[in-house]
Amino acid sequence: MNSYLIDPFGFCKNSESIGGHTPVSELERLASVCADRSGELIWKVSGSLDNHQRPCLLLNVAGSVNLVCQRCLDSLVYELDSTTTVMVAKTEEEADEIEESLEDEEAVEVIVSDGKVEVMDLVEDEALLALPLSARHGICPDSSMDGWKEKRESPFAALKELAKKVDGQKNE
Ligand SMILES: [Zn+2]
């Protein structure tokens, strides 16, 4: 795995940003919960300071991974696209202070750093948090459901039918 070790405090102060593409196969913890090791994450981290001059990392992780459907146990492609703010504290006490100052609804994570953060750990954590607890197909491609599948129309086909009907009514 490529390492992206940053000093979060300098990184945020200087408004730096980095991004990259990382194959799922290089992220052991993520790969272990996926159906296979295919897929890739596209990620970006931007540093900034908030109103109180506290370091914030804006993290976006997107990409697709293969998960196991909990209904039919077949694999399914899951598209993830998750953004979160990670605030960086120097000590546990500072982290507690930040936690207390946050609104409950704010999607902010607080981490403690001694001056080094491995960006790939943040990316992998974010991807893991973004995965559904129980992945399921909308409609499973299971053989026992073949009858259903044939009858199933794409939403666009259904719309077309509807449009035709509306047109027909107009012509009457
Ligand atoms: Zn399924």
Side-chain angles (χ1 to χ4, degrees):
M1 183 182 85
N2 283 324
S3 174
Y4 293 88
L5 208 56
I6 59 167
D7 159 19
F9 305 107
F11 188 87
C12 291
K13 210 170 151 190
N14 300 324
S15 304
E16 289 179 50
S17 66
I18 52 170
H21 294 222
T22 302
V24 170
S25 59
E26 289 186 13
L27 301 166
E28 281 307 322
R29 286 183 296 144
L30 180 63
S32 71
V33 299
C34 291
D36 59 40
R37 304 168 72 84
S38 68
E40 160 178 89
L41 297 183
I42 301 144
W43 52 270
K44 190 176 178 215
V45 184
S46 310
S48 63
L49 297 176
D50 74 359
N51 299 338
H52 305 281
Q53 303 299 305
R54 299 180 299 197
C56 293
L57 297 167
L58 184 68
L59 174 65
N60 176 255
V61 180
S64 58
V65 297
N66 287 327
L67 299 179
V68 178
C69 170
Q70 296 307 303
R71 198 182 298 140
C72 69
L73 302 181
D74 217 337
S75 76
L76 78 103
V77 178
Y78 186 77
E79 302 284 342
L80 60 100
D81 187 352
S82 183
T83 301
T84 197
T85 301
V86 180
M87 295 188 64
V88 193
K90 286 199 167 96
T91 61
E92 290 290 344
E93 292 76 46
E94 203 183 309
D96 290 343
E97 271 171 39
I98 295 174
E99 297 265 12
E100 276 167 32
S101 73
L102 296 173
E103 305 283 333
D104 284 346
E105 315 86 70
E106 281 183 87
V108 176
E109 281 172 59
V110 184
I111 59 168
V112 177
S113 167
D114 57 3
K116 282 196 184 75
V117 165
E118 174 52 69
V119 171
M120 290 322 299
D121 287 342
L122 296 182
V123 168
E124 191 167 21
D125 285 346
E126 184 60 21
L128 286 165
L129 285 172
L131 296 183
L133 285 177
S134 169
R136 281 158 202 259
H137 291 111
I139 293 174
C140 291
D142 182 65
S143 54
S144 67
M145 299 237 198
D146 273 355
W148 290 29
K149 232 163 69 178
E150 280 158 26
K151 277 183 212 153
R152 204 179 102 227
E153 286 178 337
S154 81
F156 297 106
L159 274 178
K160 252 188 212 164
E161 278 304 309
L162 197 67
K164 263 191 226 158
K165 273 183 202 158
V166 172
D167 274 347
Q169 278 166 3
K170 267 189 215 151
N171 294 339
E172 271 167 26

